[in-house]
Amino acid sequence: MADPVVCVVGGGTAGLEAVLAARAQLGEGVELVLIAPEPEFRYRPMSHRSLFAPTPEQSLAIADLAAHTRTSWVQDRADALREPEREVLTRDGETIAFDFLLLALGARPRRALRAGHVWVRSGDPGFLDEILAGLATGAVRSVAVVVPRGARWPIPAYELALVLAWSAAGGNASVTLLTAERQPLDTLGSTATEVVCAELEAAGIEVVTGVEVVDRDTGELDSAALAEHDAAAAAEVNVVPEWGGDGIDPLTARPSAPDHLGPVAKRTRRFDRLISLPTVLGPFLPGSPHDAAGFVEVTETLNVMGSRRVWAAGGCVAAALEHSALSAQHADGAVAGIARAAGVGSAGDLVVAPELTGMLLTGQRDEWLASNPPSTPQPSTRCLWWPPGRAVGKMLAKLIAAWDPSVDGELPGHPHGVVVRAPVALGRGDGFFVSRAAVGGEAELRRARVRDLEIRQLMAIRRREREAEEQLRTMRGELRSFDDRERAVIRDLRGQGYLQRRGRS
Ligand SMILES: Cc1cc2nc3c(=O)[nH]c(=O)nc-3n(C[C@H](O)[C@H](O)[C@H](O)COP(=O)(O)OP(=O)(O)OC[C@H]3O[C@@H](n4cnc5c(N)ncnc54)[C@H](O)[C@@H]3O)c2cc1C
């Protein structure tokens, strides 16, 4: 019997951790396939000082990791899952067969507001320098930092707000944190809330919780509107109270469209500068059950809902928080699930209710002020969550440390802070994403649905093409055997003297 094929889709933290864990746990008795479009996995060595002006990116070649793990690498995107046929259809039209599949497609950050700047993960936003310089000269007198609905990892907003407030200390500028969360960092538990509230208060930050920030301008957030928009201009936004009591976590809900909000109580606020975290959408992979925001719906053991052969891990999963440490944890747990289902290798621990563990750093203000006296050009930044790195995972981090001499496998130092252990719910999107009737990101969702439909139509056309090719092959075969029979009959008849070749008497 052929070895079972285990296919991993996605070459990010979750996907690569899964490939490494699969080879280690499932042994050589399985065929591993990785579908990943990019040739490299990009990561930055961790540094808790350089969050916004990060250390240079480094990369791990997917080809090397594939060779190391004896994995067949298909450099392509998965466009659709056909679970009954146990096939993944790729963008180039290939079908990749699997016995067990792990989806590790990540999530897609999207601008939540037309107004202001958007903080991009692992970007190097020069705008922060402009704002810090403006705070120093007095040209910028108010800055808002926004945690929108669906942000899924709110910490960067707190880090930004603190650094801005420390820079502005002693001046007249104000820093405001506007968050959809009911309490600051409440998904990380009450200790985290207490600690961060104390830090925010000490820094003099105005905190407004339980609100959604929406554009005053209505209309789609399309590329034409954004091309004309000046992110460094003053921002006028509406601040709308979140609905309470509906049991939906605002960090996983979708933003509301401003023109659908109706007559809800709102307050208009104006800030010289505004920085918002992005909201996050799932991959909307056709053929896999996904919630309204496109995230893959899973059971508590990361099995895709209703499936016995497909698992999902990382940012693409419907979960209450997104973090690379969770992604790696999911990947290890999903591989353990595959090992059990396949009955091969040594099954590790199944993930049941994953937990995010880390430290919330405290008391960084004085140290920061000491190393960044007023008017320091490009002052350093600080992270709040420790360890801060994204290239994590029991197996992946070890491999990077072994291959990259510039990376240290050990965690640097021992920071000052409080330990946080936050259980992170997994599950059906309904529990997280049902939101106000009026929702934003509609254009994005519509585009994704149209794409979904197009892909389904494409799949149907490809299926018909394959069927037609098969029919053509059968007909050609039949024609050949008909010709053979005809030739044989003619030979017979000639032998019996019935027919004469032309030109002969
Ligand atoms: C605003 C924000 C800030 C964050 N900040 C931090 C932070 O400071 N520290 C931290 O640790 N985590 C942070 N995270 C979370 C972290 O970035 C993610 O948890 C982590 O990258 C998820 O890993 P992943 O492998 O699931 O997805 P990704 O790392 O996104 O990888 C997904 C991979 O799948 C590939 N892919 C996508 N679609 C397809 C397809 N159709 N077919 C094949 N391949 C596909 C992509 O090309 C990519 O290589 C943050 C998240 C957000 C939203």
Coordinates of all heavy atoms in Angstrom, one line a residue, residues 155-214:
I155 N -2.1 44.3 21.1 CA -0.9 44.9 21.8 C -0.2 46.0 21.0 O 0.2 47.0 21.6 CB 0.1 43.7 22.1 CG1 -0.5 42.7 23.1 CG2 1.5 44.2 22.5 CD1 -0.2 43.1 24.5
P156 N 0.1 45.9 19.7 CA 0.8 46.9 19.0 C 0.2 48.3 19.2 O 1.0 49.3 19.3 CB 0.8 46.6 17.5 CG 0.6 45.1 17.5 CD -0.3 44.8 18.7
A157 N -1.1 48.4 19.4 CA -1.7 49.8 19.6 C -1.2 50.3 21.0 O -1.0 51.5 21.1 CB -3.2 49.6 19.6
Y158 N -1.1 49.5 22.0 CA -0.7 49.9 23.3 C 0.8 50.3 23.3 O 1.2 51.3 23.9 CB -1.0 48.8 24.3 CG -2.4 48.6 24.5 CD1 -3.2 47.8 23.7 CD2 -3.1 49.3 25.6 CE1 -4.6 47.7 23.9 CE2 -4.5 49.1 25.8 CZ -5.2 48.3 24.9 OH -6.6 48.2 25.1
E159 N 1.6 49.6 22.5 CA 3.0 49.9 22.4 C 3.1 51.3 21.7 O 3.9 52.1 22.2 CB 3.7 48.8 21.6 CG 3.8 47.5 22.3 CD 4.1 46.3 21.4 OE1 3.9 46.4 20.2 OE2 4.5 45.3 21.9
L160 N 2.4 51.5 20.7 CA 2.5 52.7 20.0 C 2.0 53.9 20.9 O 2.7 54.9 20.9 CB 1.5 52.7 18.8 CG 2.0 52.1 17.5 CD1 0.8 51.9 16.5 CD2 3.0 53.0 16.8
A161 N 0.9 53.7 21.5 CA 0.4 54.8 22.4 C 1.4 55.1 23.5 O 1.6 56.3 23.8 CB -0.9 54.4 23.0
L162 N 2.0 54.1 24.1 CA 2.9 54.4 25.2 C 4.2 55.2 24.7 O 4.6 56.2 25.3 CB 3.4 53.1 25.9 CG 2.3 52.5 26.8 CD1 2.7 51.1 27.2 CD2 2.1 53.4 28.0
V163 N 4.7 54.7 23.6 CA 5.9 55.4 23.1 C 5.6 56.8 22.7 O 6.4 57.7 22.9 CB 6.5 54.6 21.9 CG1 7.6 55.4 21.1 CG2 7.2 53.3 22.4
L164 N 4.4 57.0 22.0 CA 4.0 58.4 21.7 C 3.9 59.2 22.9 O 4.3 60.4 22.9 CB 2.7 58.3 20.9 CG 2.8 57.7 19.4 CD1 1.4 57.4 18.9 CD2 3.6 58.7 18.5
A165 N 3.2 58.7 23.9 CA 3.0 59.5 25.1 C 4.3 59.8 25.9 O 4.5 60.9 26.4 CB 2.0 58.7 26.1
W166 N 5.2 58.8 25.9 CA 6.5 59.1 26.6 C 7.2 60.2 25.8 O 7.9 61.1 26.4 CB 7.4 57.8 26.6 CG 6.8 56.7 27.5 CD1 5.9 56.9 28.5 CD2 7.1 55.3 27.3 NE1 5.6 55.6 29.0 CE2 6.3 54.7 28.3 CE3 7.9 54.6 26.5 CZ2 6.4 53.3 28.5 CZ3 7.9 53.2 26.6 CH2 7.2 52.6 27.6
S167 N 7.1 60.2 24.5 CA 7.8 61.2 23.7 C 7.2 62.6 23.9 O 7.9 63.6 23.9 CB 7.7 60.9 22.2 OG 8.0 59.6 21.9
A168 N 5.9 62.6 24.1 CA 5.2 63.8 24.2 C 5.2 64.4 25.7 O 4.7 65.5 25.9 CB 3.7 63.6 23.8
A169 N 5.8 63.6 26.6 CA 5.8 64.0 28.0 C 6.4 65.4 28.2 O 7.4 65.7 27.6 CB 6.5 63.0 28.8
G170 N 5.7 66.2 29.0 CA 6.2 67.5 29.2 C 5.6 68.6 28.3 O 5.7 69.8 28.6
G171 N 5.1 68.1 27.2 CA 4.5 69.1 26.2 C 3.0 69.2 26.4 O 2.5 68.7 27.4
N172 N 2.4 69.8 25.4 CA 0.9 70.0 25.5 C 0.2 69.0 24.7 O -1.1 69.0 24.7 CB 0.5 71.4 25.0 CG 1.0 72.4 26.0 OD1 1.1 72.2 27.2 ND2 1.4 73.6 25.5
A173 N 0.9 68.1 24.0 CA 0.2 67.2 23.1 C -0.6 66.1 23.9 O -0.1 65.7 25.0 CB 1.2 66.5 22.2
S174 N -1.7 65.6 23.3 CA -2.4 64.5 24.0 C -2.4 63.3 23.2 O -2.3 63.3 21.9 CB -3.9 64.9 24.2 OG -4.5 65.1 22.9
V175 N -2.3 62.1 23.8 CA -2.4 60.8 23.1 C -3.7 60.1 23.6 O -3.9 60.0 24.9 CB -1.1 60.0 23.4 CG1 -1.3 58.6 22.8 CG2 0.1 60.7 22.9
T176 N -4.5 59.6 22.7 CA -5.7 59.0 23.0 C -5.7 57.6 22.5 O -5.4 57.4 21.3 CB -6.9 59.8 22.4 OG1 -6.9 61.1 22.9 CG2 -8.3 59.1 22.8
L177 N -6.1 56.6 23.3 CA -6.3 55.2 22.8 C -7.8 54.9 22.7 O -8.5 55.0 23.7 CB -5.6 54.3 23.7 CG -5.6 52.9 23.2 CD1 -4.2 52.5 22.7 CD2 -6.0 51.9 24.2
L178 N -8.2 54.7 21.5 CA -9.6 54.3 21.3 C -9.7 52.9 20.9 O -9.2 52.4 19.9 CB -10.2 55.2 20.1 CG -10.1 56.7 20.3 CD1 -10.1 57.4 18.9 CD2 -11.3 57.2 21.1
T179 N -10.4 52.1 21.8 CA -10.4 50.7 21.5 C -11.8 50.1 21.5 O -12.7 50.5 22.3 CB -9.5 49.9 22.5 OG1 -9.6 48.5 22.3 CG2 -9.8 50.2 24.0
A180 N -12.0 49.1 20.7 CA -13.3 48.4 20.6 C -13.4 47.4 21.8 O -14.5 46.9 22.1 CB -13.4 47.6 19.3
E181 N -12.3 47.1 22.5 CA -12.3 46.2 23.6 C -13.1 46.8 24.7 O -13.2 48.0 24.9 CB -10.9 45.9 24.2 CG -9.9 45.3 23.2 CD -8.5 45.7 23.6 OE1 -8.1 46.9 23.6 OE2 -7.8 44.8 24.0
R182 N -13.7 45.9 25.5 CA -14.5 46.4 26.6 C -13.6 47.0 27.7 O -14.0 48.0 28.3 CB -15.4 45.2 27.2 CG -16.5 44.9 26.3 CD -17.3 43.7 26.7 NE -18.1 43.3 25.6 CZ -17.9 42.1 24.9 NH1 -17.0 41.3 25.3 NH2 -18.6 41.8 23.8
Q183 N -12.5 46.3 27.9 CA -11.5 46.9 28.8 C -10.1 46.7 28.1 O -10.0 45.7 27.3 CB -11.4 46.0 30.1 CG -12.7 46.2 31.0 CD -12.8 47.6 31.5 OE1 -11.9 48.3 31.8 NE2 -14.1 48.1 31.6
P184 N -9.1 47.5 28.4 CA -7.9 47.3 27.7 C -7.3 45.9 27.9 O -7.3 45.4 29.1 CB -6.9 48.3 28.4 CG -7.9 49.4 28.9 CD -9.1 48.7 29.3
L185 N -7.0 45.2 26.9 CA -6.4 43.9 26.8 C -7.2 42.9 27.6 O -6.7 42.0 28.2 CB -5.0 43.9 27.4 CG -4.0 44.8 26.6 CD1 -2.6 44.6 27.2 CD2 -4.0 44.5 25.1
D186 N -8.6 43.0 27.6 CA -9.4 42.1 28.4 C -9.3 40.6 27.9 O -9.5 39.7 28.7 CB -10.8 42.5 28.6 CG -11.5 42.8 27.3 OD1 -10.9 42.6 26.2 OD2 -12.7 43.1 27.3
T187 N -9.0 40.4 26.6 CA -8.8 39.0 26.2 C -7.6 38.3 26.8 O -7.5 37.1 26.8 CB -8.6 38.9 24.7 OG1 -8.1 40.1 24.2 CG2 -9.9 38.5 23.9
L188 N -6.7 39.1 27.4 CA -5.5 38.5 28.0 C -5.7 38.3 29.5 O -4.8 37.9 30.2 CB -4.3 39.4 27.8 CG -3.8 39.4 26.3 CD1 -2.7 40.4 26.1 CD2 -3.4 38.1 25.8
G189 N -6.9 38.7 30.0 CA -7.2 38.4 31.4 C -7.1 39.7 32.3 O -6.6 40.7 31.9
S190 N -7.7 39.6 33.5 CA -7.8 40.8 34.3 C -6.5 41.3 34.8 O -6.3 42.5 35.0 CB -8.7 40.5 35.5 OG -8.2 39.4 36.2
T191 N -5.5 40.5 35.0 CA -4.2 41.0 35.5 C -3.6 41.8 34.4 O -3.0 42.9 34.6 CB -3.2 39.8 35.7 OG1 -3.9 38.9 36.6 CG2 -1.9 40.3 36.4
A192 N -3.7 41.4 33.1 CA -3.2 42.2 32.0 C -3.9 43.5 31.9 O -3.2 44.5 31.7 CB -3.4 41.4 30.7
T193 N -5.2 43.5 32.2 CA -5.9 44.8 32.1 C -5.4 45.7 33.2 O -5.1 46.9 32.9 CB -7.4 44.5 32.3 OG1 -7.9 43.6 31.3 CG2 -8.3 45.8 32.3
E194 N -5.3 45.2 34.4 CA -4.8 46.0 35.5 C -3.4 46.6 35.2 O -3.2 47.8 35.4 CB -4.7 45.2 36.8 CG -5.8 45.3 37.8 CD -5.6 44.3 38.9 OE1 -4.5 44.2 39.5 OE2 -6.6 43.5 39.0
V195 N -2.5 45.8 34.8 CA -1.2 46.2 34.5 C -1.1 47.3 33.4 O -0.5 48.3 33.6 CB -0.3 45.0 34.2 CG1 1.1 45.4 33.6 CG2 -0.1 44.1 35.4
V196 N -1.8 47.0 32.3 CA -1.7 48.0 31.2 C -2.4 49.3 31.6 O -2.0 50.4 31.2 CB -2.2 47.3 29.9 CG1 -3.7 47.4 29.7 CG2 -1.5 48.0 28.7
C197 N -3.5 49.2 32.4 CA -4.2 50.4 32.7 C -3.3 51.3 33.6 O -3.3 52.5 33.4 CB -5.5 50.1 33.5 SG -6.8 49.6 32.5
A198 N -2.5 50.7 34.5 CA -1.6 51.4 35.3 C -0.5 52.1 34.4 O -0.2 53.3 34.6 CB -0.9 50.5 36.3
E199 N 0.0 51.4 33.4 CA 1.0 52.0 32.5 C 0.4 53.1 31.7 O 1.0 54.2 31.5 CB 1.5 50.9 31.6 CG 2.2 49.7 32.2 CD 3.6 50.1 32.7 OE1 4.3 50.8 31.9 OE2 4.0 49.7 33.8
L200 N -0.8 53.0 31.2 CA -1.5 54.0 30.4 C -1.7 55.2 31.2 O -1.5 56.4 30.8 CB -2.8 53.5 29.8 CG -2.7 52.3 28.8 CD1 -4.1 51.7 28.6 CD2 -2.1 52.8 27.5
E201 N -2.1 55.0 32.5 CA -2.4 56.2 33.3 C -1.1 56.9 33.7 O -1.1 58.2 33.6 CB -3.1 55.7 34.6 CG -3.7 56.8 35.4 CD -4.3 56.3 36.7 OE1 -4.7 55.1 36.8 OE2 -4.5 57.2 37.6
A202 N -0.1 56.1 34.0 CA 1.2 56.8 34.3 C 1.7 57.6 33.1 O 2.4 58.6 33.3 CB 2.2 55.7 34.7
A203 N 1.4 57.1 31.9 CA 1.9 57.8 30.7 C 1.0 59.0 30.3 O 1.3 59.7 29.4 CB 2.0 56.9 29.6
G204 N -0.2 59.1 31.0 CA -1.1 60.3 30.8 C -1.9 60.1 29.5 O -2.3 61.0 28.8
I205 N -2.2 58.8 29.2 CA -2.9 58.5 27.9 C -4.4 58.5 28.2 O -4.9 57.9 29.2 CB -2.5 57.2 27.4 CG1 -1.0 57.2 26.9 CG2 -3.4 56.7 26.2 CD1 -0.4 55.9 26.6
E206 N -5.2 59.2 27.4 CA -6.7 59.1 27.5 C -7.1 57.8 26.9 O -6.7 57.5 25.8 CB -7.3 60.3 26.8 CG -8.8 60.2 26.8 CD -9.5 61.1 25.7 OE1 -8.9 61.6 24.8 OE2 -10.7 61.3 25.9
V207 N -7.9 57.0 27.7 CA -8.3 55.7 27.2 C -9.8 55.7 27.0 O -10.5 56.0 28.0 CB -7.8 54.6 28.1 CG1 -8.2 53.2 27.5 CG2 -6.3 54.6 28.3
V208 N -10.3 55.4 25.8 CA -11.7 55.3 25.6 C -12.0 53.8 25.2 O -11.5 53.4 24.1 CB -12.2 56.3 24.5 CG1 -13.7 56.2 24.4 CG2 -11.7 57.7 24.8
T209 N -12.7 53.1 26.0 CA -12.9 51.7 25.7 C -14.3 51.4 25.2 O -15.2 52.3 25.3 CB -12.7 50.8 27.0 OG1 -13.6 51.3 28.0 CG2 -11.3 50.8 27.5
G210 N -14.6 50.2 24.6 CA -15.9 49.9 24.2 C -16.5 50.8 23.1 O -17.7 51.0 23.1
V211 N -15.6 51.2 22.2 CA -16.1 52.1 21.1 C -15.6 51.6 19.8 O -14.5 51.0 19.7 CB -15.6 53.6 21.3 CG1 -16.4 54.2 22.4 CG2 -14.1 53.7 21.4
E212 N -16.4 51.9 18.8 CA -15.9 51.6 17.4 C -15.6 53.0 16.8 O -16.4 53.9 16.9 CB -17.0 50.9 16.7 CG -16.5 50.4 15.3 CD -17.5 49.6 14.5 OE1 -18.6 49.4 15.0 OE2 -17.1 49.2 13.4
V213 N -14.5 53.1 16.1 CA -14.2 54.3 15.4 C -14.5 54.1 13.9 O -14.1 53.1 13.3 CB -12.7 54.6 15.6 CG1 -12.3 55.9 14.8 CG2 -12.3 54.7 17.1
V214 N -15.3 55.0 13.4 CA -15.7 54.9 12.0 C -15.5 56.2 11.3 O -15.5 57.3 11.9 CB -17.2 54.5 11.8 CG1 -17.5 53.1 12.2 CG2 -18.1 55.4 12.6

